[in-house]
Amino acid sequence: MSSEHLVYDLEKGSRVILVDKSLRKEGPWKCLSICSFVLLIGATLLFTLLQFGAFRQSETEENRNPLSEGLPATMKVQALVSRKPAAHAIANLSRHNQLLWTTKVAPSMLENGMQLNENDNSLVVPSTGLYFIYSQLLFHGKGCTSPVLLTHTISWQSAQFNTEVDLLKSMKTVCEGGRDPPSHSKLWFESIYQGAVFKLHKGDRLWSKTDLPHHLDLTRSGQIYFGVIGM
């Protein structure tokens, strides 16, 4: 609607045009408000579309690799980019006084030629080179009736000499204080981690062992693991 009004001058018989200045002042502010509203709507739509696209991409990647969640990301990227052998095995169960490993559950991986021999429960090296070998065991028990010696050994069998030796070995003692009172049967937990770099040859085998597998806490997923990364 026009902000101009026609008024007749009775004495002179002419018409005078009056302009409503308040409406003229509101014009630019109205335009600015409308433009801001339109920009806000556009930004909201753009953000929604970007979020939807990211969700779809994430969903596709997860479906393509169902074990991707929880994988050691840095190791995974290093193995894929460098194309070096890499393995990260998780404790499966203890059978016949032996700790068993698996690479079929998350978080785990087996890349670029590394193998897990299920017959003897060893990791098999596919090529000669430097490797970082690591392993962690988590022990637990209830109450302390006598001192318990926990052992953790990473052993190696050479494909060249067919001999098995201990590469790394650690020991810890728990319940060294002696017998608890009958009313005290609290839970105890103890972890042992080892890791170092070694030169290995094609066909070499590696084991992670303990003398007390019945004390391993297998209920805590991902806390007991065994891995090898090519350098």
Side-chain angles (χ1 to χ4, degrees):
M1 179 181 294
S2 175
S3 61
E4 298 179 350
H5 301 276
L6 295 177
V7 180
Y8 286 92
D9 190 338
L10 298 178
E11 295 181 356
K12 297 181 180 181
S14 60
R15 294 183 297 176
V16 178
I17 299 176
L18 298 179
V19 179
D20 191 344
K21 295 183 178 181
S22 62
L23 292 176
R24 177 178 294 179
K25 291 180 180 179
E26 292 178 359
W29 292 107
K30 286 184 177 180
C31 292
L32 183 60
S33 298
I34 293 173
C35 292
S36 300
F37 180 76
V38 172
L39 290 175
L40 178 61
I41 294 296
T44 303
L45 290 175
L46 180 60
F47 179 78
T48 302
L49 291 174
L50 290 175
Q51 288 290 89
F52 179 76
F55 172 77
R56 294 295 298 177
Q57 183 179 1
S58 176
E59 184 180 60
T60 301
E61 292 178 354
E62 184 176 357
N63 291 335
R64 185 169 56 249
N65 187 6
L67 296 181
S68 60
E69 184 178 359
L71 282 176
T74 304
M75 295 161 45
K76 182 78 171 180
V77 171
Q78 178 182 348
L80 294 176
V81 173
S82 65
R83 298 190 178 184
K84 295 288 187 178
H88 185 81
I90 303 297
N92 188 17
L93 52 86
S94 176
R95 184 180 64 192
H96 303 307
N97 204 33
Q98 184 182 16
L99 177 61
L100 302 182
W101 302 100
T102 181
T103 55
K104 298 179 181 178
V105 298
S108 64
M109 69 174 179
L110 203 61
E111 300 290 340
N112 302 323
M114 282 296 304
Q115 298 179 18
L116 175 61
N117 191 320
E118 297 182 356
N119 294 327
D120 60 3
N121 203 35
S122 65
L123 290 176
V124 184
V125 178
S127 57
T128 301
L130 294 177
Y131 290 85
F132 177 67
I133 307 170
Y134 63 94
S135 181
Q136 175 177 282
L137 303 184
L138 178 63
F139 301 89
H140 79 127
K142 185 176 182 180
C144 290
T145 57
S146 61
V148 179
L149 180 62
L150 306 177
T151 63
H152 180 200
T153 304
I154 298 178
S155 57
W156 160 67
Q157 184 179 39
S158 169
Q160 295 180 328
F161 307 107
N162 197 28
T163 56
E164 183 178 339
V165 298
D166 294 341
L167 291 180
L168 298 169
K169 187 167 186 176
S170 294
M171 293 181 290
K172 285 187 178 181
T173 303
V174 295
C175 300
E176 63 270 19
R179 185 181 299 274
D180 282 344
S183 59
H184 292 175
S185 58
K186 61 181 179 181
L187 291 173
W188 57 262
F189 294 88
E190 189 70 47
S191 64
I192 302 180
Y193 173 87
Q194 297 186 97
V197 176
F198 297 91
K199 183 176 182 180
L200 303 176
H201 295 83
K202 180 179 180 180
D204 287 0
R205 298 177 183 272
L206 300 164
W207 291 268
S208 178
K209 304 176 181 179
T210 180
D211 294 335
L212 298 174
H214 59 279
H215 274 301
L216 293 174
D217 186 9
L218 298 174
T219 62
R220 300 175 184 270
S221 177
Q223 295 299 310
I224 302 179
Y225 51 79
F226 178 32
V228 179
I229 307 175
M231 306 297 289

